[in-house]
Amino acid sequence: MAYRADGAVKWRYADPDSASFAGPTTVTMGGVVYAAGRLRGSGWRVYALRDAGASAELLWTFEPGGPAPGSVSATVGPDGTVYVSAWGGHTVWQQ
């Protein structure tokens, strides 16, 4: 979900395969949003989205495999590497 400066919802992204997003997202200076979500049933997926004004443009997804690690958050390092960390601080995926 993206918000305008006045707090109104700008857009929402929904994946029909995802039960929920699993934690905080991160936004790069270039406007790419990274998030992770739990899939219905089992597993999880990492998302890269771009703000396209009134909607989100899906750039790519990746399913790391294994069970969803609970609460996860995505961040981007100074070299552009995307890291996804689980509760407790351990890295569960990076690209």
Side-chain angles (χ1 to χ4, degrees):
M1 186 178 307
Y3 294 93
R4 291 178 177 37
D6 66 2
V9 174
K10 184 175 182 180
W11 52 258
R12 297 174 195 261
Y13 179 79
D15 178 347
D17 295 333
S18 181
S20 66
F21 284 97
T25 61
T26 194
V27 182
T28 68
M29 294 295 287
V32 177
V33 178
Y34 293 99
R38 292 186 191 97
L39 298 176
R40 297 186 191 283
S42 65
W44 60 295
R45 185 176 288 159
V46 178
Y47 299 83
L49 307 164
R50 177 165 306 175
D51 184 341
S55 64
E57 172 191 1
L58 178 63
L59 300 175
W60 54 261
T61 64
F62 179 74
E63 292 180 28
S71 180
V72 295
S73 61
T75 192
V76 179
D79 64 353
T81 301
V82 179
Y83 297 91
V84 177
S85 299
W87 187 82
H90 65 279
T91 300
V92 292
W93 182 81
Q94 72 184 58
Q95 174 189 343

